[in-house]
Amino acid sequence: MENSTMLEEMALRALDEIACSKAMTELEEIRIRTLGKKGELTGALRSMKDIPEAERPPFGKRINEIRDQLTEALDKKILEIKQADKVVRLKEEAIDITLPGHKQRIGGLHPLTRIYYEIRDIFVSMGFEVMDGPEVEYDKYNFEMLNIPKDHPARDMQDTFYVSNDIVLRTHTSPVQIRTMLKQDPPIRMICPGRVYRSDDVDATHSPIFNQVEGLVVGRGISFAHLKDTLDRFLKEFYGEATKTKFRPGHFPFTEPSAEVDATCAKCAGKGCGVCKGTGMIEVLGCGMVHPSVLKGCGIDPDVYTGFAFGLGLDRLATIKYGITDIRLLFENDIRFLSQFK
Ligand code: FA5
């Protein structure tokens, strides 16, 4: 076949292939096959030597025209494919803003933390400072210096987890009283929050791990009237102005006299309900005047200084305040329960 006919056929075929191609890889193959260094057009140029001299200029001109035509067709098709790809990509990456989003859950403070913050703020506003003490405690601080010697029956009041003969998991926050009095001279006015441990059986009102807030005031002329007024004020602030308090005689080896304090039931406002067992009042804390021998053991002269102390169960206070019927709910960390306290 004549060279120029072959050239035209090649051009037509290439243009047709370009028009039909759907991918960049196909176009690249066509480009290399037709316009590449060893491609069909270069082959046509080389074949010029075989045609009569008079036909060479129009043949060469036609090769250049076809090169331009193919280049233009390829460029156009590349643009088309890129455009189509972009449309597909935009469609795939499109964000449907009408779809409902994922709800961002906002956390909240644990009810025990909230209760503690409330209690802390009330006492801090009365001039108390906040102290801290270890949960793994010397028997000496947890019991002995609080007037509870080894083998004394008073130890039965608090079933204890012993780590060794001399070390216990503290059964109450009262050892922080001792630690404070040992390192600080009066006047002292402190509260101490913390976790405590007792080998109590678990039920709706008892847990082997629970939380207390201890309070201690030591100074000249501190009397039971100060204790009564401080706790009265605190309970009114905490449960509401209408709250009434009742001080009943109690017994703690480290305070004399000792008292247990009942407050108007927050659930029924004193009318009587299941929570307060129909009495309208509920026991909320233990307290008393610091025993002179406890002061003396800590190097404080009981003839010069007197003091009062109190200890409240944070978990019990939380159950009463929020009407929680089972103390265990406070430790299970069930999100359905906790999310009610945001
Ligand atoms: C004491 O622990 C004394 N240290 C309190 C005190 C301090 C008295 C200073 C005088 C001066 P008691 O054992 O009663 O006292 O415990 C205090 C509070 O802890 C109780 O009123 C109760 O609210 C709470 N509590 C006691 N045992 C448990 C338990 N197993 N689970 C949850 N709360 C408890």
Side-chain angles (χ1 to χ4, degrees):
M1 211 188 296
E2 209 184 318
N3 276 357
S4 61
T5 315
M6 276 165 63
L7 182 66
E8 292 306 328
E9 275 180 6
M10 182 279 286
L12 279 177
R13 196 181 61 243
L15 284 170
D16 196 41
E17 281 173 357
I18 292 169
C20 295
S21 44
K22 299 223 162 8
M24 298 291 269
T25 45
E26 283 178 53
L27 290 178
E28 184 58 9
E29 264 173 35
I30 299 168
R31 191 189 65 75
I32 293 169
R33 199 187 70 227
T34 54
L35 305 175
K37 258 189 200 162
K38 292 178 189 163
E40 288 168 333
L41 282 185
T42 317
L45 270 177
R46 280 203 195 104
S47 73
M48 280 228 286
K49 61 180 181 335
D50 305 327
I51 60 173
E53 206 161 332
E55 289 173 25
R56 284 181 196 167
F59 187 71
K61 192 175 164 226
R62 185 65 192 134
I63 288 175
N64 284 338
E65 280 168 4
I66 290 172
R67 182 187 302 283
D68 290 348
Q69 230 179 328
L70 291 181
T71 308
E72 194 186 326
L74 279 167
D75 286 352
K76 216 169 127 202
K77 192 70 186 178
I78 286 171
L79 212 67
E80 243 174 62
I81 290 179
K82 276 189 179 165
Q83 212 85 45
D85 280 354
K86 197 170 156 192
V87 170
V88 171
R89 218 179 47 241
L90 283 178
K91 215 171 188 175
E92 278 170 4
E93 291 173 4
I95 298 166
D96 182 355
I97 54 166
T98 63
L99 278 175
H102 294 291
K103 198 174 171 197
Q104 291 294 323
R105 296 230 234 167
I106 298 168
L109 289 176
H110 191 280
L112 284 176
T113 310
R114 291 168 68 111
I115 288 278
Y116 165 61
Y117 284 171
E118 276 182 49
I119 294 171
R120 179 199 62 189
D121 291 350
I122 296 170
F123 282 109
V124 166
S125 76
M126 292 185 195
F128 283 71
E129 62 175 318
V130 180
M131 306 292 270
D132 199 13
E135 290 176 23
V136 180
E137 184 56 283
Y138 291 113
D139 182 285
K140 190 171 139 190
Y141 294 152
N142 193 79
F143 289 127
E144 285 172 50
M145 293 185 75
L146 285 163
N147 260 353
I148 315 173
K150 280 208 157 81
D151 304 321
H152 192 278
R155 292 217 175 193
D156 293 345
M157 290 165 79
Q158 300 176 357
D159 280 336
T160 311
F161 290 112
Y162 282 86
V163 176
S164 71
N165 236 359
D166 301 318
I167 296 176
V168 298
L169 294 185
R170 68 177 176 192
T171 54
H172 51 174
T173 41
S174 296
V176 187
Q177 286 185 31
I178 303 298
R179 287 178 172 274
T180 307
M181 288 191 281
L182 284 174
K183 68 169 182 245
Q184 197 175 315
D185 289 331
I188 295 169
R189 200 161 21 167
M190 71 86 174
I191 56 162
C192 161
R195 200 174 290 155
V196 303
Y197 303 82
R198 290 185 198 177
S199 71
D200 284 345
D201 288 334
V202 181
D203 63 26
T205 53
H206 290 83
S207 160
I209 305 174
F210 58 102
N211 299 275
Q212 289 190 337
V213 177
E214 190 79 8
L216 173 73
V217 173
V218 182
R220 287 173 195 265
I222 298 294
S223 70
F224 202 91
H226 293 118
L227 162 66
K228 202 163 176 294
D229 187 62
T230 305
L231 294 179
D232 208 47
R233 190 70 250 138
F234 159 68
L235 289 166
K236 279 192 164 58
E237 292 269 342
F238 185 69
Y239 283 125
E241 248 350 276
T243 305
K244 290 198 176 67
T245 51
K246 189 160 89 185
F247 284 70
R248 287 183 288 105
H251 171 71
F252 298 102
F254 37 94
T255 48
E256 180 58 35
S258 303
E260 270 165 330
V261 181
D262 299 341
T264 312
C265 175
K267 181 97 173 115
C268 64
K271 291 185 201 82
C273 67
V275 175
C276 59
K277 298 190 178 81
T279 62
M281 303 292 278
I282 208 150
E283 187 200 312
V284 286
L285 56 89
C287 61
M289 298 304 292
V290 183
H291 199 289
S293 60
V294 172
L295 290 174
K296 210 166 168 177
C298 296
I300 296 175
D301 186 349
D303 292 331
V304 180
Y305 297 104
T306 47
F308 69 78
F310 56 88
L312 45 91
L314 203 67
D315 319 76
R316 292 262 175 91
L317 252 63
T319 53
I320 298 163
K321 181 146 181 161
Y322 292 130
I324 299 166
T325 47
D326 196 320
I327 203 168
R328 286 168 283 200
L329 288 164
L330 291 169
F331 305 107
E332 282 166 0
N333 283 336
D334 184 330
I335 208 81
R336 290 166 301 178
F337 168 75
L338 294 178
S339 60
Q340 298 172 56
F341 298 93
K342 274 194 218 152

